Amino acid sequence: MKRYCINLLPVMALLLLGLSCTSPEEIVPELDDPIEEDDNVEVAIPLKELFKDYFPIGAAVTPQQANLGTPHGQALREHFSSITAENVMKPDALQRVKGQYTWGNADQLVKFAKDNGMLVRGHCLTWHAQSPDWMFYDENGELLSKEVALAQLEEHITAVVSRYKGDVYAWDVVNEAMFDWDPEGVIEYREDSPWYQMIGETYIDSAFVYAHRADPDAKLFYNDYNSIFSWKRHKIYNMVKRLKDNGIPIHGIGLQGHWNVNTSESDIRTTLDLFRTLDVEIQITELDVPVYLSGDEPGAVEYNSTFSFRQKAAYSMIFQVLLDYSDLITNVTFWGIGDDHTWLDRPDRKAFPFLFDEDLKPKPVYFEVQKLVQNQ
Ligand code: G3I
């Protein structure tokens, strides 16, 4: 039997989300109510069909998933028109040992995409993380000179972008270069990055130039998280404006979209309005929306009605915004496929951040998003 009550945490979330709590649909189920089975009786329209008039819809994948012999491969082919390598195109995956490229996994993803008519976003060419030590340090553990560091960066970017020329249509050329938690907005760049320490901020400029030389047709992106917060969006704006003013070939900004169930709608809209003035494309590159209101909320390992309720509200808000800005947004990619595999999970706390459950079946929130798109 279904039990309903007014549960304080979700009500607070509702207030935060600016929703009123008046209609029967908005009564919040108790935290551990099971999901109603008949939520799933509708027929799911494949995501790529649903969004075909708006933007390609993508997923980050592992090589194991990009295989039609697995449920993940089948789900990818049915629902997604774009893929991103979750890890295997990062610097430490492609050139862990200097001069020895390991292309196998990345090649497999690209072949899977081509065989199944999908776009490929390349992630990522320049990052302070998941990069081999030789890119930063000499044999004595000292930071490399600017000249050596730039020569190695040019070699890496040229090799990688050239190999996938014509196959990877968009690259995250530089990932997460701006300083994160700084509400005063004083520190612009992530100064703990070896790239910044060796070269200063112009490593960003150089990376874009190298990538453009290797594939003049590829769309080149700066990619970051927390980009919708006021203190960070302005740093990204200033940096991209500087690049554009200097004639550096940058075509877009990737908003990673590691959002949550109380992400602010006005933060997203304000950011999109600001970035629009830069005359660049926007891609949502790593979308996931975990079910918790905060890091302190006790974790759960079963999905429940409260989580579903929160995610329906959050994903409906997010996709309404993305549809409203679809003239600006040229790709929306989830950072995974289904709730069985996500970087957000901990043993005692599952994040359930996607539209598909752990068995890759559409969740109730999927049908909520479907309804939203159909009602445009
Ligand atoms: O490759 C090693 C493997 O050799 C080893 O046996 C294994 C043991 O744990 O670890 C493997 O490396 C892991 C790697 O993923 C590949 O599976 C790392 O421990 C693990 O930390 C790494 O996590 C990735 C993380 O980036 C690293 O920063 C996540 O899968 C990936 O989802 C995440 O993706 C990032 C984006 O690139 C940038 N934006 C944020 C996003 C989430 O953190």
Side-chain angles (χ1 to χ4, degrees):
M1 170 139 159
K2 212 161 47 169
R3 287 171 296 126
Y4 286 109
C5 72
I6 302 295
N7 181 335
L8 275 182
L9 283 175
V11 170
M12 284 163 63
L14 273 180
L15 293 174
L16 278 171
L17 287 165
L19 301 174
S20 64
C21 191
T22 49
S23 71
E25 296 80 35
E26 289 164 359
I27 294 173
V28 182
E30 278 189 346
L31 191 68
D32 49 4
D33 275 355
I35 296 294
E36 291 169 73
E37 300 221 332
D38 60 359
D39 268 351
N40 278 326
V41 294
E42 292 170 73
V43 174
I45 298 171
L47 286 178
K48 64 184 180 189
E49 294 298 321
L50 197 59
F51 288 105
K52 70 176 186 319
D53 293 336
Y54 300 99
F55 29 67
I57 196 96
V61 301
T62 67
Q64 294 73 27
Q65 292 171 332
N67 174 344
L68 288 181
T70 67
H72 297 88
Q74 292 294 327
L76 285 169
R77 183 169 68 171
E78 184 179 354
H79 287 282
F80 295 94
S81 46
S82 179
I83 59 169
T84 305
E86 184 181 1
N87 285 299
V88 301
M89 285 191 181
K90 291 172 179 173
D92 70 347
L94 290 181
Q95 199 185 174
R96 186 181 290 268
V97 177
K98 184 169 158 49
Q100 292 180 20
Y101 286 92
T102 41
W103 301 113
N105 286 330
D107 283 359
Q108 186 207 320
L109 292 191
V110 170
K111 181 172 185 312
F112 177 84
K114 286 168 83 170
D115 289 349
N116 294 288
M118 297 165 153
L119 298 166
V120 183
R121 295 196 79 263
H123 174 86
C124 54
L125 297 171
T126 317
W127 194 17
H128 61 273
Q130 286 186 280
S131 297
D133 280 352
W134 62 261
M135 277 190 171
F136 304 140
Y137 305 104
D138 67 16
E139 59 282 4
N140 301 317
E142 302 290 335
L143 276 178
L144 300 171
S145 69
K146 178 175 176 173
E147 291 68 31
V148 172
L150 278 176
Q152 293 189 162
L153 181 63
E154 179 173 14
E155 200 281 331
H156 180 82
I157 290 179
T158 305
V160 174
V161 175
S162 302
R163 185 173 184 89
Y164 299 117
K165 188 169 187 295
D167 292 334
V168 169
Y169 91 113
W171 280 102
D172 292 332
V173 177
V174 177
N175 197 39
E176 302 174 4
M178 310 313 290
F179 186 55
D180 188 27
W181 184 258
D182 179 29
E184 303 303 316
V186 178
I187 305 170
E188 291 274 321
Y189 294 93
R190 184 192 275 269
E191 295 177 1
D192 62 352
S193 163
W195 289 119
Y196 184 88
Q197 292 170 353
M198 293 184 295
I199 300 163
E201 71 263 26
T202 60
Y203 80 87
I204 300 172
D205 312 39
S206 298
F208 277 92
V209 170
Y210 302 150
H212 186 63
R213 272 189 210 142
D215 184 355
D217 295 327
K219 290 180 182 293
L220 305 183
F221 282 76
Y222 173 74
N223 190 50
D224 213 332
Y225 62 93
N226 284 356
S227 316
I228 62 171
F229 294 147
S230 57
W231 61 88
K232 198 154 174 190
R233 83 169 79 102
H234 288 291
K235 295 178 191 184
I236 294 172
Y237 173 88
N238 291 338
M239 184 272 290
V240 173
K241 178 142 190 356
R242 179 178 70 72
L243 295 184
K244 289 194 64 110
D245 288 349
N246 291 339
I248 301 295
I250 176 168
H251 310 113
I253 301 176
L255 306 188
Q256 291 188 0
H258 295 298
W259 290 330
N260 53 58
V261 288
N262 44 26
T263 283
S264 148
E265 175 173 354
S266 72
D267 277 349
I268 305 178
R269 288 185 185 271
T270 305
T271 304
L272 293 171
D273 287 337
L274 178 69
F275 288 174
R276 183 192 284 286
T277 65
L278 288 164
D279 194 22
V280 290
E281 295 181 20
I282 301 295
Q283 299 196 342
I284 310 300
T285 55
E286 305 184 17
L287 181 60
D288 47 24
V289 181
V291 294
Y292 301 100
L293 295 176
S294 75
D296 299 334
E297 190 177 10
V301 292
E302 298 287 340
Y303 198 64
N304 60 53
S305 300
T306 298
F307 294 161
S308 187
F309 178 84
R310 292 172 182 172
Q311 266 187 328
K312 284 181 185 174
Y315 266 120
S316 296
M317 178 279 282
I318 289 167
F319 273 106
Q320 184 60 63
V321 174
L322 302 185
L323 294 176
D324 289 347
Y325 286 80
S326 60
D327 62 319
L328 179 65
I329 294 172
T330 56
N331 187 304
V332 175
T333 287
F334 290 89
W335 203 240
I337 306 169
D339 288 345
D340 60 311
H341 174 85
T342 164
W343 71 288
L344 294 163
D345 274 355
R346 302 197 312 239
D348 59 334
R349 185 183 175 93
K350 283 193 60 63
F352 307 106
F354 299 122
L355 301 182
F356 296 96
D357 68 14
E358 293 163 281
D359 297 320
L360 307 183
K361 292 219 292 281
K363 290 154 64 176
V365 58
Y366 185 107
F367 295 101
E368 196 75 2
V369 170
Q370 178 168 305
K371 227 183 312 165
L372 177 91
V373 181
Q374 289 174 317
N375 289 337
Q376 296 302 301

